[in-house]
Amino acid sequence: MFKKILIANRGEIAVRVLRACREMGIQSVAVYSDVDRAALHVRKADEAYHLGPAPAAESYLNIEKIMAAARKSGADAIHPGYGFLSENPRFAHACAEAGIKFIGPTAAAMEMMGSKTRARQHMEKAGVPFVPGTSRGVDSGEEAASVAEKIGYPIMLKAAAGGGGKGMRLVHTSTELRSALESARSEAQRAFGDNEVYIEKAIVNPRHIEMQVLADEHGNTVYLGERECSIQRRHQKVLEESPSPLVDPEMRHRMGEVAVRVAQVAGYTNAGTIEFLADQQKNFYFLEMNTRLQVEHPVTELTTGLDLVHLQIRIAAGEKLPFQQEDIQLRGHAIECRIYAEDPDNNYFPSPGKITLLLLPSGPGIRRDSGMYEGWTVPIEYDPLLAKLIGYGTDRAQATARLVRALHEYFVGGIKTNLSLFRRILNDAEFQEGHLDTGFLDRLLARGVEGTTSDRGGADVAAIAAGVFAILDGEIRGDGPPANGTNGTGTESVSNWKRRAREEALN
């Protein structure tokens, strides 16, 4: 087993890996940029090394600086987390050359699955079902038009090296195609340094379902059940759950077998995720493979009882998987909310700043994976993900109820967060009935907040605030309430704790 692991990441995932190291008796090494000097992962690590200025290119994406920190600390393994360098084959190569174990797949597997077009070519040979389209990038507008006419509109343009919705465009008609192709290529080049774009048939009202796989270095591969990831905003996941409301045991078995086949064709080891699109008739198609630990891995941990980070480390250390496929049993239901520092009332604009007050939820069935603390300043330079709130129950209804309760307990002061969005999602009838697809959130947001309008809502809030402050002003001046516990009108007086609570709510 490793003696010391460097975590080449920040935020909640760095804290998550640090906790696993501590449980396993392994020393942990953090790295940090200028703005992360006081970050939680730095405070919790056994050692920490400065990388440089805030921009990711000069810190968390700088392979040379991270390898220098690994050598200086004496780390014998590196965990990349997710994002940053986690799917960069050059980083995996650099670790191998330095004799430091990369806790993830080999560079060769990463290279095969990192390009969506190369992955499609390999999966086509292996007989894996995938969405109709091209298995390489289109070279011109004319070629794109020819392919689109053949498979039929609507189509989806996708960046071959992409992810997170970058370089992706939905095209409904031929008149939109040329400009959409140009903008997709331009965005792909900016985001990934590669402007290759390919075409897929757009599935109407698809569900985004992924299958977690684990593979050791001795030829054993298993699947750990699926996650429903259809609730997305701008092609980025917002809420995930396991198991999927759509998937029955027979579909799960078929999807799992395909996922294992994909991993084996790629010569894959460690933790990975096979992503599928599914239609409402339960037909599913291979989409891509994510060659790393996923943000949403906690829902799989809760429904399987397995610790994926422990298993990642043990696989990288050469151990065999301690179970076989038939040993894996799903139990209960888990739902995860991604808590972001962003303003729902301002088009979800990032909201950096100091956290002045933090009230944390707890209670039965609640898990928090977090990288924040009261007094910490959220930087503007990185992804605004602050924490993940996960609810677990014996069934979907209980998991939802526990999560709703926890969201009402959660308060982050000093910055804006998207906590209110999750209260809307979880209380929505379509969500509660499991009627999901990738357009769910757009429909929900288009409806607005039920029972209010933007014009009237502001006036109502102002009127309520004026009334409350009129009562509070009387208490503060000392002309109310009288000793008998009423405010002189026969109604119950407002206690100090209620007054303070109302002030906080109005703020």
Side-chain angles (χ1 to χ4, degrees):
M1 182 47 65
F2 307 116
K3 293 182 173 60
K4 187 181 289 188
I5 294 175
L6 182 143
I7 296 91
N9 218 299
R10 63 178 300 280
E12 67 85 16
I13 188 59
V15 175
R16 168 73 184 92
V17 178
L18 287 164
R19 285 177 170 149
C21 289
R22 184 146 297 166
E23 290 167 0
M24 298 177 73
I26 301 169
Q27 286 189 298
S28 58
V29 181
V31 290
Y32 62 94
S33 68
D34 286 348
V35 295
D36 274 341
R37 186 176 295 274
L40 190 61
H41 74 283
V42 177
R43 290 184 159 202
K44 287 188 173 293
D46 295 308
E47 301 175 33
Y49 291 82
H50 180 238
L51 292 176
E58 300 178 55
S59 52
Y60 299 106
L61 287 174
N62 191 304
I63 294 174
E64 290 73 21
K65 288 182 177 179
I66 290 174
M67 297 308 300
R71 287 190 293 269
K72 188 173 181 180
S73 67
D76 47 358
I78 292 179
H79 195 300
Y82 55 73
F84 291 132
L85 294 170
S86 63
E87 294 183 280
N88 188 315
R90 289 198 303 112
F91 187 41
H93 273 303
C95 291
E97 290 173 359
I100 297 172
K101 184 68 176 183
F102 179 80
I103 301 176
T106 63
M110 223 183 273
E111 286 167 345
M112 178 190 291
M113 304 308 291
S115 166
K116 294 180 181 179
T117 49
R118 281 199 301 273
R120 283 173 67 94
Q121 291 162 17
H122 286 287
M123 295 309 112
E124 189 174 16
K125 293 176 184 175
V128 171
F130 58 84
V131 180
T134 62
S135 294
R136 59 177 184 81
V138 291
D139 296 324
S140 65
E142 290 72 22
E143 183 185 1
S146 175
V147 171
E149 289 298 330
K150 183 178 179 181
I151 65 175
Y153 289 95
I155 63 163
M156 190 72 78
L157 302 177
K158 291 187 174 183
K166 297 286 191 282
M168 184 182 291
R169 297 291 186 277
L170 177 62
V171 182
H172 293 278
T173 65
S174 59
T175 55
E176 307 169 32
L177 181 57
R178 189 173 294 275
S179 62
L181 180 61
E182 290 174 359
S183 62
R185 278 179 166 169
S186 177
E187 187 174 65
Q189 181 65 44
R190 291 195 305 272
F192 312 112
D194 183 347
N195 70 353
E196 184 183 6
V197 171
Y198 68 102
I199 295 176
E200 275 185 354
K201 173 70 176 174
I203 298 176
V204 178
N205 298 326
R207 297 178 81 128
H208 188 141
I209 300 174
E210 61 189 26
M211 186 69 68
Q212 177 73 59
V213 296
L214 278 177
D216 64 25
E217 297 176 358
H218 305 275
N220 304 303
T221 307
V222 297
Y223 64 91
L224 304 182
E226 80 285 350
R227 298 184 285 254
E228 173 86 52
C229 305
S230 297
I231 299 182
Q232 303 178 5
R233 180 174 168 272
R234 296 177 179 173
H235 305 295
Q236 292 188 323
K237 301 166 191 172
V238 172
L239 178 149
E240 303 96 348
E241 59 182 303
S242 180
S244 164
L246 178 72
V247 177
D248 56 33
E250 189 273 335
M251 183 180 178
R252 180 174 301 118
H253 178 71
R254 288 189 294 117
M255 290 184 80
E257 287 191 327
V258 171
V260 167
R261 195 188 328 159
V262 169
Q264 290 175 337
V265 168
Y268 196 85
T269 56
N270 216 274
T273 300
I274 315 301
E275 302 206 352
F276 298 95
L277 285 183
D279 62 23
Q280 301 302 320
Q281 290 72 46
K282 298 189 177 184
N283 301 304
F284 60 88
Y285 308 93
F286 170 75
L287 187 62
E288 62 179 307
M289 183 175 192
N290 289 308
T291 56
R292 54 172 166 80
L293 190 69
Q294 293 282 91
V295 177
E296 57 272 24
H297 74 274
V299 295
T300 297
E301 292 186 325
L302 289 170
T303 54
T304 60
L306 301 172
D307 189 308
L308 295 189
V309 180
H310 279 222
L311 288 164
Q312 278 193 295
I313 293 170
R314 293 190 180 282
I315 289 169
E319 295 185 15
K320 289 183 178 181
L321 286 173
F323 46 77
Q324 297 178 330
Q325 188 65 59
E326 55 268 25
D327 300 321
I328 298 164
Q329 301 293 326
L330 300 187
R331 53 188 180 82
H333 201 99
I335 308 172
E336 173 183 288
C337 300
R338 299 189 185 194
I339 312 302
Y340 284 99
E342 57 186 19
D343 185 357
D345 298 322
N346 187 22
N347 198 29
Y348 296 88
F349 197 75
S351 178
K354 185 176 182 179
I355 297 175
T356 56
L357 179 64
L358 185 60
L359 305 178
L360 298 174
S362 59
I366 295 301
R367 167 175 166 175
R368 286 179 291 104
D369 283 22
S370 175
M372 62 175 165
Y373 61 88
E374 190 169 301
W376 176 57
T377 298
V378 180
I380 187 66
E381 287 83 1
Y382 310 113
D383 185 277
L385 179 65
L386 297 172
K388 300 177 307 201
L389 181 67
I390 308 101
Y392 175 77
T394 55
D395 56 26
R396 191 170 187 264
Q398 186 182 59
T400 301
R402 285 175 166 177
L403 201 47
V404 169
R405 180 257 301 164
L407 285 164
H408 283 289
E409 296 176 7
Y410 215 157
F411 180 79
V412 185
I415 62 171
K416 302 288 187 179
T417 70
N418 62 341
L419 287 168
S420 61
L421 173 64
F422 296 111
R423 290 193 283 269
R424 288 185 63 190
I425 292 172
L426 294 169
N427 285 303
D428 183 79
E430 275 192 72
F431 173 83
Q432 292 179 353
E433 292 167 5
H435 297 161
L436 308 177
D437 59 66
T438 55
F440 167 87
L441 191 54
D442 288 338
R443 294 194 300 273
L444 179 71
L445 295 176
R447 290 200 296 270
V449 179
E450 187 176 351
T452 66
T453 66
S454 57
D455 293 335
R456 183 62 204 160
D460 289 346
V461 170
I464 293 168
V468 171
F469 277 120
I471 295 170
L472 296 179
D473 284 346
E475 292 183 14
I476 293 168
R477 286 196 308 270
D479 52 11
N484 64 1
T486 69
N487 61 10
T489 63
T491 58
E492 186 181 351
S493 63
V494 180
S495 66
N496 282 337
W497 72 265
K498 282 186 177 179
R499 175 174 59 78
R500 293 291 299 177
R502 288 171 178 173
E503 287 174 346
E504 288 290 342
L506 289 168
N507 289 336

